[in-house]
Amino acid sequence: KNVIERLQRSLENGRLGHAYFFSGQDLGELEKVGRVLAQTLNCQDSTLTELVVDACKCISCRKIANDNHPDVMTIRPESKMRQVKIGQIIRRPNSPPRVLHDLIYQKSVEGGYKVALLVAADRLNTDAANALLKTLEEPPEYLKFIFATTEIKKIPVTVVSRCQRFDLS
């Protein structure tokens, strides 16, 4: 409830951050909070003055809920190594066609914000975390980062210090 109130005040005051860090014990709940924020930032019915916490039926919110919105990318650890690798962050030879780098450097397709939701951010390997630092320091106006983790102590301080932090208990 406290997190929702703080996010709500930020919206009401027009003071959106460029990066949010949600930490707690239930990764599924942390991801849900991240999706609520992503929906709020891209909702076609929203005025960006309040969180979209109820199930909105606009096409944008439905796409985000189904994880197929072109402006919202969810990055999870690769299943075999259980890490988020640099190939998921920046384009490398033979990297997946849709990496975070592509999201960062292209304008919004559907007119909202570009949102990168990194689930299990504690599994960012060192190279991947370092690749994010420059963008976290000087993000484009249209880009928002949302990190979710159950183990905040495993995240490099350089990453956490560039984000608004919310601890969910």
Side-chain angles (χ1 to χ4, degrees):
K1 183 178 178 183
N2 183 34
V3 171
I4 298 295
E5 289 172 357
R6 284 179 54 200
L7 288 170
Q8 183 64 47
R9 277 196 306 273
S10 294
L11 289 169
E12 289 169 356
N13 296 328
R15 298 182 51 90
L16 288 173
H18 68 279
Y20 296 88
F21 220 109
F22 298 115
S23 66
Q25 296 192 5
D26 185 344
L27 195 57
E29 289 299 315
L30 297 171
E31 184 176 354
K32 283 181 189 177
V33 173
R35 286 198 184 280
V36 164
L37 184 54
Q39 285 178 313
T40 300
L41 294 170
N42 286 291
C43 181
Q44 295 169 341
D45 298 334
S46 174
T47 59
L48 273 182
T49 56
E50 62 182 68
L51 286 171
V52 179
V53 289
D54 295 323
C56 177
K57 299 295 183 203
C58 79
I59 187 81
S60 185
C61 287
R62 287 195 317 252
K63 284 181 180 180
I64 292 169
N66 293 328
D67 204 16
N68 64 359
H69 193 286
D71 295 328
V72 178
M73 177 182 279
T74 303
I75 298 174
R76 292 184 178 85
E78 291 181 351
S79 59
K80 291 181 184 175
M81 297 301 292
R82 302 299 295 160
Q83 285 189 329
V84 176
K85 294 183 173 182
I86 193 166
Q88 291 176 270
I89 305 299
I90 62 173
R91 185 169 295 289
R92 292 275 173 117
N94 302 320
S95 66
R98 193 161 182 239
V99 293
L100 182 58
H101 180 271
D102 297 339
L103 183 83
I104 292 171
Y105 295 106
Q106 297 173 0
K107 294 273 185 183
S108 173
V109 174
E110 294 192 4
Y113 285 93
K114 292 281 191 172
V115 178
L117 174 58
L118 284 91
V119 179
D122 54 281
R123 297 194 188 131
L124 279 167
N125 69 20
T126 304
D127 290 338
N130 288 336
L132 286 174
L133 289 178
K134 177 70 172 161
T135 307
L136 282 171
E137 288 173 356
E138 300 172 13
E141 285 292 318
Y142 55 83
L143 178 65
K144 304 295 181 192
F145 282 98
I146 302 171
F147 297 90
T149 185
T150 56
E151 299 184 49
I152 191 88
K153 292 179 181 177
K154 289 186 176 181
I155 309 295
V157 174
T158 52
V159 172
V160 177
S161 67
R162 289 164 173 82
C163 304
Q164 290 184 27
R165 183 175 164 185
F166 295 87
D167 296 314
L168 288 81
S169 54

